[in-house]
Amino acid sequence: MRRLATLCCVLLVLGIAMAAQPFDADAEAKAFIADHEARIRPLEKLASIAWWNANISGKDEDFKKKEETQNKLDTMLAESEPFAKLKKLKADMPKDKLLARQVEVLYLQYMEKQVDKELLRQMTAKANAVEQAFNVFRAKVRGKELSDSQVREILKRDRDSGYRREVWEACKLVGANVEADLKALAIMRNQAAKQLGFGDYHKMMLHLNEQDQGKVLALFDELDALTRGPYEAAKAEIDAALAKQYNIAVDQLMPWHYQDPFFQEPPSIFEVSLDDTYSKVDILKACRQFYAGIGLPIDDVLARSDLYEKAGKSPHAFCTDIDRDGDVRVLGNIVPNEYWMATMLHELGHSVYSSKNIPQTVPYVLRGEAHILTTEGVAMQFEKFSKSAKWLESMGVKVEKPEVFDATARKMLRNQLLIFSRWCQVMLRFEAALYANPEQDLNKLWWDLVEKYQGMKRPAGRNAPDYGSKIHICSAPAYYHNYMMGQLFASQVHHALCREVLKVSPNEANYTGNPNVGKWMKEKVFAPGRTLPWNGLTKFATGEELNAKAFASDFGK
Ligand SMILES: [Zn+2]
C-alpha cells in the first residue's frame, strides 16, 4: 500500500512539473549524451589508435592520420548547435546527479572549442611558429653549434665556470628569438578567453580544468610556507657540494652552476649510483610481480604494450586508454636502470587507474580519471618505490649495501621533489601574471620569481627574456601546476592508505604483497572515475580536500 501511495505522489508531482515546465532536463540530457556517444565515441577511439600508431612507427603517414583524426574530432566539438543545447542544460540542470555531472563535463569539453575559428587559426599558427623556432634553435658557443643534449651534457659535467656561463647564456638565446611571437600569442589567447567570458587566458584554462585560479594560488602559498625551510636546508647542502665541485665559494654560485638550465631537477652530487643495483634487475618481471602482489595485475596491459626501443619510435613513455573499455597500453623504452624502473612503475600506475579498474557501470563520459592531477598523482605514488632498498629486497632483489642505497635514494627523492616544487612555484606564478598583463616587464618578473622561490642569483645586470626559453609556456600553457598538485595528491593518498589499511607510518610503508592496497585504491580512488571532480575525489579518498600537509611531512617539515 505504501509503495502505491508513494508512486501516486510521484506521478502527481511529475504531472505538475510537466505541465508547468515543458523542458524535461533529465530526458533532454539523456538524449544529448546518447547522441554525443554515437557521434564522438568512435572518433575518440580512432584518435587514440592513430596517436598510438604514430608514436610507435614515427612515420609521416601515421602522423598525418593522427592530425586528421584529431582535427575531425575538434571540428565536431566546435559545432555551435550541440553547445547551445548544452548551455540550455547547464542553465536548467538535470535532477539526476549522474546526468548533471555528465552535462558539466561535456559543457567544458565543448566550450574549449568554441573560440572564433579565425582567431583559433592565428593562435595555432603562432604557436607553431614558436615551436618551429625551438626546433631549429642551436646554442652557438665559440663558433660551434650545440644540440640540446650537448648543452645538457656540458652543464652536467664541465668544471670551467667561464665556459659554463657561455653555454648557459647561449642556450637562453632562444628566448629572444621567440619573445615577440610569444607575447603576441599571449595577447591572442587572452582575446579568445575574453570571447568566452573570462578575465584572461590563465583563468579560463584553469576553469576548463575545473580549477579556480585564486584557490590554486592559495594552495601554492601553503606549499611555499611549508617547504621554504626544508628547501633552503636541502639547497644549502647542494650548494656546498657544487661549490666544492667547481672549486669556488658558495656565494659565487650562479644559475649556470646548477646543471639543469632551469634548476628544475637536482644536480648530481652523490657518489653512489642506484643504477649499479638496477643493472641486474629484470624491470618487467619486477613490475608484473609488484602489481600482481597488490591485487592490481597488469599482464593484459603488458601484452598490448610496446616496451623496447626501436627505430622511429618515440623515445619517451606514456600510458593510454584506447577505448575506455579496458584496452589500456603503455609505450616504453626499457633499459635496466633506475630511471626506467621508476618510469615503468609510473606508467603502469596510470594503467591501473583506467577503464581497466573503473566499473563499466560508470557512464562512458565519466569513465576515466577524475583529473590529470589525480592520475599523475597515482603514477607518482607508485613510482617512488624504485628509490627504496626495502622495496627492492621485498621483491627478491639483492641490494649490496641497503643502508647506503637508502640514504642516497632518500636524499635524491627529497631533493628532486623540493627542487621541483620550487620550480613549479615559478611556473605557476609567472603564467598567472603573464596573462594578467602581457605588457609588463616580463624579464624582471621572471627573475624576481626565480630569486624568490628557487633562491638562485640573478646574474648582475641581466635583462633578457629568459622565460621564453621554456617551451611549456608556449606549447603546454597553464598546465604545469598540475604536476605539483599531483605530487600533493600522491602524498595525501599514501598517508590515507597507511592510516586506514597498512597501519604503519608513511615513511615505513611497503605495499609489496598486500592485496588490500589494490582493493582500497580501487574503492577509494579508481571506482568513482570522473563522477566526482578532483577535489571531491580527494576528500572521498582521504577525508580532506587537497592540501600540502602530507607532502610537506614527507619531504619538508
Ligand atoms: Zn604520468
Side-chain angles (χ1 to χ4, degrees), residues 54-96:
N55 278 290
I56 298 291
S57 80
K59 284 184 190 149
D60 285 349
E61 68 249 38
D62 286 335
F63 270 94
K64 208 170 146 231
K65 203 162 176 195
K66 163 181 168 271
E67 202 182 315
E68 280 168 10
T69 350
Q70 191 56 48
N71 286 342
K72 222 189 249 173
L73 188 58
D74 286 348
T75 309
M76 284 175 88
L77 295 169
E79 282 170 16
S80 54
E81 199 196 330
F83 186 62
K85 282 188 189 166
L86 277 170
K87 236 176 166 169
K88 195 150 189 283
L89 282 166
K90 184 96 172 29
D92 192 354
M93 270 292 199
K95 292 185 185 47
D96 181 90

Side-chain angles (χ1 to χ4, degrees), residues 346-347 350 376 379:
H346 178 106
E347 300 308 335
H350 284 303
E376 284 306 334

Side-chain angles (χ1 to χ4, degrees), residues 122-134 136 173-190 434-435 438-439 442 465 467-471 473-475:
Q122 289 174 15
M123 277 161 54
T124 312
K126 262 296 175 245
N128 281 340
V130 175
E131 274 178 50
Q132 193 82 37
F134 262 95
V136 297
L173 279 177
V174 67
N177 293 357
V178 301
E179 181 185 15
D181 277 341
L182 197 54
K183 260 186 204 170
L185 183 60
I187 290 167
M188 279 193 266
R189 283 172 171 167
N190 272 351
L434 163 70
Y435 292 103
E439 311 285 359
L442 297 170
Y467 59 90
S469 61
K470 186 69 192 164
I471 193 168
I473 293 177
C474 160
S475 61

Side-chain angles (χ1 to χ4, degrees), residues 36 86 90 93 98-112 208 210 324 364-367 369-370 530-533:
H36 166 89
L86 277 170
K90 184 96 172 29
M93 270 292 199
L98 214 50
L99 288 173
R101 180 69 189 142
Q102 290 175 84
V103 167
E104 246 167 54
V105 167
L106 289 172
Y107 179 79
L108 294 173
Q109 195 185 351
Y110 280 76
M111 183 186 203
E112 194 186 349
L208 290 174
E210 303 196 85
R324 303 191 204 175
Y364 174 77
V365 171
L366 306 174
R367 206 184 302 141
E369 67 271 10
R530 216 179 157 182
T531 58
L532 295 171

Side-chain angles (χ1 to χ4, degrees), residues 138-153:
R138 297 286 177 278
K140 217 171 162 185
V141 181
R142 300 181 186 177
K144 202 181 153 216
E145 286 201 344
L146 303 172
S147 70
D148 191 54
S149 56
Q150 285 172 317
V151 166
R152 285 176 180 278
E153 197 52 31

Side-chain angles (χ1 to χ4, degrees), residues 525-552:
V525 182
F526 307 161
R530 216 179 157 182
T531 58
L532 295 171
W534 61 271
N535 222 353
L537 178 77
T538 311
K539 193 156 186 205
F540 174 75
T542 71
E544 282 183 79
E545 291 199 344
L546 191 69
N547 61 72
K549 280 183 297 193
F551 177 82

